[in-house]
Every structure is written in structure tokens, then in C-alpha cells.
Amino acid sequence: MIRILSPRWLRRKLKRPSHLPTLATMEPTTRCNCRCLYCRALISKTDLDLLHGRDMSLEEFDIVLSKLPFIRRFEFVGLGEPFLHPHLFDMIARISRRGKRTCVSTNGTILDEDACANLIGSGLDFLRVSIDSTDPDTFAKLRVGAELERVKAGVRRLVNAKKTIKSQTPALILSVVASRENQRELKEIIRLAHTLEIPVVRIRNLYAPLPEMQAKRIPDLENLQLVEELTDFAKTLQIELHTFVEECLRDLRGIYVTVDGYVTPCIFAYYPEKIEFGNLLKEGFNSIWNSPEYKEFRRTFPEKTPRFCKLCKGLSTEEVTTSVKTTSTSSVRV
């Protein structure tokens, strides 16, 4: 039987994805058991205390989720460690039951047997584990509070748990923040992924939303020189490599939802800039998305690149300073 689609239905289906975001990054908690080098620089500019941070309640999460039916992929990441949230697996399962894709980014310190079983049972699609060095001392310096051997043991535990029940999910991704601190270790990190049976490595350059972080960032020219070398090396180990991934606002396809329900374009727009366009715990998504402030932000981006974007992209502090007058006149809510 041939189904005839009405022009009206087709227009509605084709139009919907074009004007609404498809990715939502959720911050389930601001509590963390590590004090990573780059996060500490960011936290120093806020009034947050990660030891006594806040969790988004399950009731609040349900409210937020009910207002985002058009989102196709949810990622759990933020200033805190998602695994510290007491209801993380419930959150993942509720999204999975709706047929949406899910991803969690973790420091890998809490991959015990229960966590591995719950991850698999929740229906999680992807798990990103952060490993920025193969040297225990450098790793401890970059991710204060974490131990390399503990993270590696947790990954092995999850890999074995998946094999035991023949589960393909969650798919594992080794996530690397490339910087001056570990630039010479990137090949060894790829080799470690192969050893740990992680099929995908994702390397991104250091986001540097603060001027004092600029010196740690690898210049773009060196990125280009590194990409070919790392790609060839990864191929010899049959590793899928995503080099210097740029996850920015260039296509405005995503939103960031803070632990308190605020909608912002990016984590660095909120921390420490406090740029937000509304709160999903208090209003509907359409009123936020279609607010004059948010529409103006999207309309003028990237011509009026915000200050935090310029720093993340590695522009000099002088270049950023000269653009502050332009971005400060933007009508975003601060």
C-alpha cells in the first residue's frame, strides 16, 4: 500500500528540525570529586564550591525533559561529575525509553561493578571517559583527585561487563583534552585506547575561556601538523580518531541546561559569564527560544562573536579586548 503524504504534513516535518535545537547538554550536578587543572581556573571565577554543589532533582529533571520533546540527543556533562548524581541511571533510562540517544562524559573514577551494571541496564548509548595522559604523575597533575590506574581498571571492568552479557552499549570513547601539558603524549594515549579496547579516541584542543589559560592551548598551526601524523598512527591500531573536535556554537544546534534549569548556548557562556535566556523550571521552551534576546543572539552569531567564544578559539587577549565593546552591546540576559 502506498501512503500519500499531504503537503502540509511534509512541510511541518521538514520545517521542524530546522528551527529547533537537536542536542541538549544537561548538567545533572555541580558536585565533583576531582579538581582538574583547567576546571579549577574556571571555578576560581565563580562562587561555586564543588564539594558542596547541587544536584538537579529527579522532579526538576522530569520537568525539563517534558519541555524538550524535539531533542534527539542528550549529553550529561557539566562542572560536576555525573556519576555523583544519585539518580543518573534513572535519568538515562527515562530518556532511553523515549527513543532518544544518550551520552555521559565522566572522569572515570566511579566505574565500580554496580555502576557498570547500571550503565548497561540504563540503555546508555555512549560513555566518554577522560584520560589526558599515560603518565601517572602528569595525569595526577591534570586531574587532581583521580588516579590513572583506577580509571583504567574501571574501563576494563565495564568492557568485561559488556562482554559477559554481550552488550554493544554503551559504546566507549576515550576523550582527550590536548594542551601543552600532554602534546607529546597523544600517540601514547591512542595506544592506551587500543590496549583498553576503546575503539574511538576524541581529541579536542583546550577550551580557554579565560586569558590565563591561553598559554596552555596548542596553536592551530600545530594542530594541522599533528592531525595527519595522529590519524596515520590511529589507523595502524584500527582506532577511529576524531582530532581536535570543534564543538562550538557555529550551527547553534544545541543548548546547555544548567543544574538550576537555565538555558544557555554553552557551558562557558554561563560559567563565568552568566549568560542565559530563561529557565525551563519556570517557563516553556518556546518562550525562551523565541525571546527577543535569544533570537538576536542567534541572528547575529557568529558575526558578533561573544568574548568567551573568542577565547575558546585561541584568539589573543588583545584581540578579545578590542571586541569587548561589540559583544557587550549584545542584548543577551546577563
Side-chain angles (χ1 to χ4, degrees):
M1 181 178 67
I2 299 175
R3 181 181 180 185
I4 300 176
L5 305 179
S6 72
R8 181 180 179 183
W9 181 90
L10 189 58
R11 283 196 302 271
R12 186 169 68 248
K13 282 293 184 181
L14 291 175
K15 181 180 179 181
R16 185 175 182 179
S18 67
H19 74 285
L20 288 174
T22 58
L23 169 68
T25 300
M26 307 286 290
E27 182 180 55
T29 182
T30 56
R31 295 186 296 125
C32 194
N33 57 346
C34 292
R35 296 295 177 272
C36 299
L37 182 64
Y38 309 120
C39 281
R40 290 205 309 273
L42 190 62
I43 292 298
S44 68
K45 303 297 181 180
T46 74
D47 58 358
L48 289 175
D49 177 1
L50 296 189
L51 284 175
H52 305 93
R54 159 171 149 67
D55 296 336
M56 178 183 286
S57 72
L58 201 53
E59 293 74 20
E60 290 169 332
F61 174 78
D62 284 338
I63 293 172
V64 170
L65 185 59
S66 70
K67 296 180 180 181
L68 301 175
F70 45 85
I71 295 295
R72 300 172 187 170
R73 176 179 171 122
F74 290 82
E75 297 189 356
F76 291 89
V77 64
L79 288 186
E81 165 53 46
F83 275 61
L84 290 177
H85 196 289
H87 301 295
L88 175 65
F89 306 118
D90 292 326
M91 292 175 169
I92 297 169
R94 293 183 186 200
I95 294 173
S96 296
R97 286 195 292 268
R98 295 177 180 228
K100 313 290 186 176
R101 297 174 76 80
T102 52
C103 177
V104 172
S105 292
T106 177
N107 58 34
T109 60
I110 316 178
L111 286 172
D112 56 26
E113 290 185 7
D114 287 342
C116 291
N118 286 327
L119 270 184
I120 297 171
S122 69
L124 180 70
D125 292 295
F126 301 96
L127 181 69
R128 292 183 190 145
V129 182
S130 296
I131 299 181
D132 298 331
S133 175
T134 60
D135 177 75
D137 293 335
T138 303
F139 183 90
K141 174 185 176 182
L142 294 174
R143 296 195 173 270
V144 177
E147 296 177 4
L148 178 59
E149 290 305 316
R150 180 179 178 181
V151 174
K152 288 162 60 175
V155 170
R156 292 191 183 101
R157 192 174 293 118
L158 179 57
V159 169
N160 290 334
K162 287 173 57 181
K163 288 180 179 179
T164 298
I165 63 173
K166 298 180 180 179
S167 175
Q168 297 297 314
T169 56
L172 282 167
I173 302 168
L174 194 153
S175 185
V176 187
V177 177
S179 69
R180 294 292 195 184
E181 301 284 350
N182 63 359
Q183 181 174 352
R184 297 184 179 182
E185 291 189 67
L186 296 179
K187 277 189 178 181
E188 289 306 309
I189 294 174
I190 294 172
R191 193 190 305 277
L192 175 61
H194 176 70
T195 302
L196 294 174
E197 301 181 64
I198 300 178
V200 180
V201 174
R202 170 181 171 270
I203 301 175
R204 63 173 174 81
N205 209 345
L206 169 68
Y207 293 156
L210 301 174
E212 54 265 41
M213 297 166 69
Q214 288 295 308
K216 302 290 186 181
R217 184 182 169 94
I218 303 173
D220 287 340
L221 179 60
E222 294 185 41
N223 287 358
L224 297 175
Q225 295 170 346
L226 280 173
V227 165
E228 184 176 353
E229 182 180 351
L230 293 174
T231 301
D232 289 342
F233 181 71
K235 284 180 180 178
T236 65
L237 299 176
Q238 296 184 312
I239 294 290
E240 180 182 333
L241 182 64
H242 303 166
T243 49
F244 298 96
V245 177
E246 287 293 340
E247 293 183 338
C248 67
L249 307 176
R250 63 185 180 277
D251 55 6
L252 296 172
R253 65 186 177 87
I255 57 171
Y256 185 91
V257 183
T258 74
V259 69
D260 294 312
Y262 289 104
V263 175
T264 181
C266 166
I267 183 174
F268 299 127
Y270 194 75
Y271 302 110
E273 301 287 339
K274 293 297 182 184
I275 296 173
E276 50 86 12
F277 296 99
N279 193 303
L280 286 173
L281 299 177
K282 302 176 181 177
E283 53 192 308
F285 182 80
N286 285 339
S287 65
I288 296 172
W289 187 249
N290 294 317
S291 67
E293 295 86 1
Y294 211 164
K295 290 173 72 173
E296 175 69 6
F297 179 89
R298 298 194 303 274
R299 186 185 69 80
T300 59
F301 186 89
E303 287 76 16
K304 289 186 179 180
T305 307
R307 176 177 180 274
F308 64 89
C309 288
K310 291 180 179 293
L311 284 166
C312 277
K313 290 181 178 298
L315 298 181
S316 67
T317 53
E318 290 78 13
E319 290 175 287
V320 173
T321 301
T322 59
S323 69
V324 168
K325 290 184 180 180
T326 301
T327 57
S328 64
T329 59
S330 175
S331 58
V332 296
R333 185 186 304 177
V334 179

